[in-house]
Amino acid sequence: MTQKYRITLLPGDGIGPEIISVAVDILQAAASKFDLEWEFQEGLIGGAAIDETGKPLPSETLDLCRHSDAVMLAAIGGPAWDGLPGHRRPEAGLLGLRSGLELFANLRPATLLPQLANASPLKREIVSGVDIMVVRELTGGVYFGEPKGIFQTETGEKRGVNTMAYTASEIDRIAKVALEIAQKRQGRLCSVDKANVLSVSQLWRDRVEKIAQDYPDITLSHLYVDNAAMQLVRAPKQFDTIVTGNLFGDILSDIAAMLTGSIGMLPSASLGESKPGVFEPVHGSAPDIAGQDQANPLAQVLSAAMMLRYGLDQPQAASQIEQAVTQVLDAGYRTGDIMSEGMQQLGCKAMGEKLLEALAQQ
Ligand code: NAD
């Protein structure tokens, strides 16, 4: 029976419309192969929404998202809106989307495709074969804990304060997401904290241990965050799935991303308790190359694959899209950002056409 899904597309700004249109073509091709049917609806976000409505996230957009099975976002922002006050800037649209959909889990894979091993700043033998998923808690921890602010001490000195706080239930729900993701991967989960110093981390470790008892198929380990940062650079292949809090995850997911060396290749997903999740590339709107048919659409296409795997439970379709990406790279096709000697450089649209051909052959 045909499975129908309603997907909200948020192209946003800069290269957003170019790369999302490639991903939509790929999804259409996957639909006919896997008996899926898409109902796409488009919403405004970021600078495009500010220009049209004065707001970075109009309420109609949030409503569209809430009534869909998944949201595919491209990127927001650009110099035209940089002068606006914080709450009216394009970035406020992203934050509003995450809080509006209660997306508490951020998934950032760092997979090093062997064809791009030379793009990594680390030695090939260290990074070749790296396949890590960082699961970061997104709505708690030190970025949101109270009290926060800049206060005066009794002696009149200024004192800046943030509070790292997690409730047991916040830890439990991110631990469950991470354990379930580890089940879909190699079955190993490393929880990262600073339990030797921080009380909040001691609770984190206790709760993760407790929740993991319900997942006997998962091998759980723990690392302190300083050691985890070191290990990610020293021997990244030891990791499968990592789960950590908001601040540590912010830093570790960027380290993991740099292992791959190529920002145009990195997808991400943000998930809540129930549907819909938001699936988007890690990179920004690349205003320097917008409208020039130079953008690399692969992070967006791989985000569509994440949507199929983690948002819609269609792992076979996801795998075929990922294999199409591998095949196109194997055949030597590159966009400008990942170009190297002896390869053939393509624009965004032509890369999309090669992907469609590769998908048809799967
Ligand atoms: P960026 O990721 O947009 O670009 C950094 C560099 O990488 C640029 O040289 C760009 O051309 C290149 N690049 C990025 N994605 C590419 C792709 N798919 N193909 C080819 N090259 C690519 O980061 P930035 O320049 O710091 O920010 C530009 C705008 O994007 C800013 O307004 C920023 O606020 C916004 N931004 C948005 C998001 C998001 O939507 N999630 C994330 C980061 C930055």
Side-chain angles (χ1 to χ4, degrees), residues 122 126 227-239 259:
L122 299 189
I126 290 180
N227 190 15
M230 212 161 63
Q231 296 298 332
L232 266 174
V233 178
R234 194 187 69 83
K237 277 183 262 189
Q238 70 185 283
F239 294 105
L259 299 175

Side-chain angles (χ1 to χ4, degrees), residues 216-288:
D217 50 332
I218 300 297
T219 309
L220 176 67
S221 60
H222 302 274
L223 278 184
Y224 299 136
V225 62
D226 41 348
N227 190 15
M230 212 161 63
Q231 296 298 332
L232 266 174
V233 178
R234 194 187 69 83
K237 277 183 262 189
Q238 70 185 283
F239 294 105
D240 171 23
T241 308
I242 293 176
V243 64
T244 189
N246 206 341
L247 173 64
F248 300 157
D250 196 359
I251 299 165
L252 293 182
S253 59
D254 269 17
I255 298 179
M258 265 324 285
L259 299 175
T260 70
S262 172
I263 191 149
M265 297 293 303
L266 295 170
S268 79
S270 300
L271 306 177
E273 208 90 58
S274 52
K275 287 184 211 173
V278 174
F279 303 85
E280 58 181 309
V282 167
H283 63 71
S285 59
D288 51 333

Side-chain angles (χ1 to χ4, degrees), residues 336-351:
D337 57 315
I338 51 171
M339 184 59 191
S340 60
E341 216 183 311
M343 302 293 136
Q344 187 180 339
Q345 187 165 336
L346 300 178
C348 182
K349 279 194 194 132
M351 186 54 114

Side-chain angles (χ1 to χ4, degrees), residues 15 19 73-79 82 89-91 94 98 263-265 280-289 294-299 335-337:
I15 58 171
I19 56 177
L73 171 69
I76 52 91
D82 279 350
R89 283 173 61 114
E91 290 78 2
L94 265 191
R98 287 176 186 155
I263 191 149
M265 297 293 303
E280 58 181 309
V282 167
H283 63 71
S285 59
D288 51 333
I289 55 166
Q294 285 183 35
N296 181 349
L298 295 181
T335 44
D337 57 315

